[in-house]
């Protein structure tokens, strides 16, 4: 293959110059749209698949495919922010509609159970672009010192380092080939009965119980020799393994994770036993860095006012385009910081009560938890051992790798 050729999803050799050719679904869709006819079922999905397959860039051994979800933030975010800086009303309209569009896309992908790099791309590019605007528009005004720029840069680097750690293995349970083979041979189909959440409780004799409490299959579950009595283990029919207590199956990653908290779209990965601390650290560094950057910018473009007052009343913000762009970026950062602050607050409350997001969601579904602090936290009472013990348990997560015993393999 030359640099502009590639093998498409149908196994045929194609060229980048023909990216707009031979798309029958798109032609039919345009024709139906012009004639005011409804599209056939599945047409939009086929068009999206074709477009995603043809978005490529030239490379040495053939054109490389680009993930389409990476492109919109890189193109639309600068355009929206620059348009919003033109006038106060445009800024109000765009900064109001952006969160709505992001939430709509999240709902769309969550309903289809799809993984996407859109949110990770949006987060990383937002950080980079805000830092670029700060250096280009705010620092040259002369009101920000060298030490303040260094402090902001260090905070950004620390946050990215914590984010990189949070992107690593969250605590996936291994699925050995021998384990999968023995599961198919050793467990007959009639010995496994379904439960409401797709889990299976495996008894000592290989049979299952179908009763569920707090979303976890209950019954005489198989326990390893090293586990204390009363710690239940559950059977995951999708991963074909026995998983320890508090582990869960992520439907987006398709894997079981130890102490699964939730699947975070902002890091495009699960938050579990091995990366939960890094996730909290990344959120904390982001909050500190973002608030510090917002404060420095408001002190520069709205001098003489406190940051909170300047955020809502800054008469000279739209006197020139540079200050208008900086003020628009401040409001964009404030909206994102408020959203991330809410996530961090919920996480800290859950840690204080030793409950995960998954357990809270299942407790709400089964009506087995208590709503506390106005519904911000759901206390299941199952693992709550007091504030200090709960935080001590969280800080010890991932300190020693879990040991697998012979009982873990059925």
């Amino acid at each position: 293959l030359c640099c502009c050729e590639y093998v498409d999803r149908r196994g045929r050799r194609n060229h980048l110059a023909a990216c707009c050719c031979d798309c029958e679904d798109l032609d039919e869709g345009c024709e139906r749209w012009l004639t005011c006819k409804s599209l056939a079922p599945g047409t939009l999905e086929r068009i999206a698949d074709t477009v995603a397959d043809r978005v490529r860039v030239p490379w040495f051994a053939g054109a490389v495919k680009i993930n389409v979800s990476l492109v919109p933030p890189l193109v639309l975010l600068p355009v929206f922010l620059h348009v919003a800086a033109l006038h106060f009303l445009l800024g109000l309209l765009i900064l109001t509609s952006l969160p709505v569009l992001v939430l709509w896309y999240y709902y769309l992908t969550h309903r289809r159970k799809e993984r996407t790099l859109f949110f990770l791309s949006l987060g990383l590019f937002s950080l980079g672009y805000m830092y670029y605007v700060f250096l280009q528009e705010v620092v040259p005004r002369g009101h920000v010192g060298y030490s303040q720029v260094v402090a902001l840069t260090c905070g950004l680097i620390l946050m990215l380092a914590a984010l990189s750690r949070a992107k690593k293995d969250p605590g996936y349970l291994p699925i050995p080939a021998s384990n999968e083979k023995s599961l198919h041979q050793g467990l007959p189909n009639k010995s496994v009965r379904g439960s409401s959440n797709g889990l299976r409780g495996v008894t000592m004799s290989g049979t299952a119980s179908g009763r569920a409490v707090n979303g976890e299959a209950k019954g005489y579950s198989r326990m390893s020799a090293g586990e204390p009595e009363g710690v239940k283990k559950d059977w995951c029919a999708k991963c074909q393994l026995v998983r320890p207590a508090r582990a869960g199956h992520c439907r987006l990653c398709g894997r079981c994770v130890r102490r699964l908290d939730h699947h975070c779209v902002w890091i495009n990965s699960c938050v579990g036993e091995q990366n939960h601390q890094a996730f909290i650290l990344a959120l904390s560094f982001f909050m500190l860095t973002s608030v510090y950057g917002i404060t420095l910018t408001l002190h520069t473009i709205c001098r003489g006012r406190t940051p909170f007052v300047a955020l809502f009343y800054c008469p000279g913000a739209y006197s020139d385009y540079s200050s208008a762009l900086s003020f628009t970026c401040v409001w964009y950062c404030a909206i994102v910081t408020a959203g991330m602050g809410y996530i961090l607050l919920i996480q800290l409350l859950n840690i204080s009560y030793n409950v995960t997001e998954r357990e809270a969601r299942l407790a709400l579904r089964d009506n087995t938890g208590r709503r506390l602090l106005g519904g911000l936290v759901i206390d299941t009472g199952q693992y709550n051992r007091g504030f200090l013990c709960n935080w001590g348990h969280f800080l010890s997560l991932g300190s020693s790798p879990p040991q697998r015993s012979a009982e873990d393999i059925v």
Side-chain angles (χ1 to χ4, degrees):
L1 296 177
C2 76
C3 61
C4 295
E5 290 183 321
Y6 64 94
V7 178
D8 61 17
R9 59 193 177 98
R10 297 179 181 177
R12 296 182 298 189
R13 190 168 179 168
N14 216 324
H15 198 277
L16 289 179
C19 62
C20 298
C21 304
D22 191 22
C23 186
E24 298 177 359
D25 293 320
L26 181 60
D27 296 339
E28 181 184 357
C30 293
E31 182 180 352
R32 286 179 171 271
W33 178 70
L34 292 174
T35 56
C36 299
K37 295 181 181 179
S38 60
L39 294 177
T43 301
L44 289 178
E45 287 78 6
R46 291 194 298 270
I47 293 175
D49 292 339
T50 302
V51 172
D53 185 52
R54 296 183 181 184
V55 177
R56 298 172 180 264
V57 293
W59 201 247
F60 298 105
V64 179
K65 186 177 179 180
I66 299 177
N67 195 313
V68 180
S69 60
L70 292 172
V71 179
L74 306 182
V75 177
L76 297 180
L77 182 63
V79 173
F80 283 160
L81 291 179
H82 279 274
V83 172
L86 295 175
H87 194 272
F88 170 74
L89 293 179
L90 284 175
L92 182 64
L93 177 63
I94 291 178
L95 292 176
T96 304
S97 59
L98 272 179
V100 176
L101 291 175
V102 172
L103 290 174
W104 171 80
Y105 186 71
Y106 168 75
Y107 170 77
L108 185 65
T109 55
H110 184 73
R111 186 181 61 179
R112 295 181 178 180
K113 302 178 183 179
E114 296 177 355
R115 295 189 68 178
T116 176
L117 294 174
F118 173 83
F119 299 98
L120 179 61
S121 173
L122 177 62
L124 293 178
F125 184 68
S126 296
L127 287 173
Y129 192 71
M130 295 303 106
Y131 186 68
Y132 168 79
V133 171
F134 179 79
L135 294 180
Q136 289 292 113
E137 306 295 342
V138 180
V139 174
R141 292 175 177 265
H143 300 294
V144 178
Y146 176 76
S147 59
Q148 294 172 321
V149 176
V150 171
L152 186 70
T153 305
C154 290
L156 186 62
I157 293 174
L158 290 174
M159 192 219 64
L160 292 176
L163 182 63
S164 175
R165 175 61 187 87
K167 281 284 296 174
K168 294 183 179 179
D169 180 16
Y172 291 123
L173 291 173
I175 311 177
S178 57
N179 187 5
E180 188 173 351
K181 181 178 179 181
S182 62
L183 285 169
H184 287 292
Q185 293 178 352
L187 285 178
N189 292 333
K190 64 179 180 180
S191 66
V192 180
R193 286 184 291 167
S195 62
S196 61
N197 59 353
L199 308 180
R200 304 291 187 267
V202 180
T203 66
M204 296 297 290
S205 61
T207 61
S209 66
R211 201 171 40 149
V213 178
N214 288 344
E216 301 291 339
K218 302 296 262 183
Y220 300 96
S221 300
R222 186 180 294 273
M223 294 185 295
S224 64
E227 294 284 357
E229 185 178 358
V231 177
K232 300 292 192 274
K233 290 194 172 187
D234 300 310
W235 172 255
C236 179
K238 295 181 179 180
C239 294
Q240 296 288 291
L241 53 78
V242 177
R243 62 191 184 193
R246 308 192 76 177
H249 183 88
C250 176
R251 61 181 184 176
L252 297 178
C253 297
R255 296 284 300 276
C256 282
V257 181
R258 291 183 180 272
R259 197 183 178 277
L260 175 64
D261 189 86
H262 69 287
H263 182 94
C264 181
V265 296
W266 295 105
I267 65 174
N268 194 34
S269 177
C270 289
V271 177
E273 184 179 273
Q274 299 296 319
N275 68 341
H276 201 168
Q277 295 175 354
F279 179 72
I280 296 297
L281 199 60
L283 283 176
S284 302
F285 278 129
F286 171 80
M287 291 294 299
L288 294 175
T289 306
S290 179
V291 171
Y292 186 60
I294 290 173
T295 303
L296 291 178
T297 305
L298 289 177
H299 275 313
T300 301
I301 62 177
C302 300
R303 298 189 61 81
R305 291 181 174 84
T306 61
F308 183 78
V309 174
L311 188 62
F312 295 96
Y313 182 70
C314 185
Y318 288 87
S319 59
D320 59 273
Y321 187 77
S322 176
S323 60
L325 179 61
S326 302
F327 189 72
T328 302
C329 291
V330 162
W331 258 106
Y332 175 75
C333 289
I335 294 173
V336 175
T337 303
M340 294 301 170
Y342 175 78
I343 295 176
L344 179 60
L345 175 64
I346 297 299
Q347 287 289 314
L348 295 179
L349 291 175
N350 285 343
I351 294 170
S352 300
Y353 286 90
N354 200 1
V355 62
T356 63
E357 276 293 312
R358 174 176 174 270
E359 292 167 349
R361 185 173 63 251
L362 294 175
L364 279 178
R365 187 195 65 184
D366 300 334
N367 197 23
T368 56
R370 294 186 304 151
R371 291 179 177 268
L372 301 175
L373 303 177
L376 289 177
V377 64
I378 306 298
D379 182 20
T380 61
Q382 189 174 4
Y383 302 100
N384 189 1
R385 299 295 181 270
F387 180 83
L388 294 179
C389 290
N390 293 339
W391 272 95
H393 171 74
F394 173 77
L395 295 176
S396 64
L397 289 178
S399 58
S400 59
Q403 300 294 328
R404 301 182 67 223
S405 66
E407 291 290 336
D408 286 339
I409 302 179
V410 181

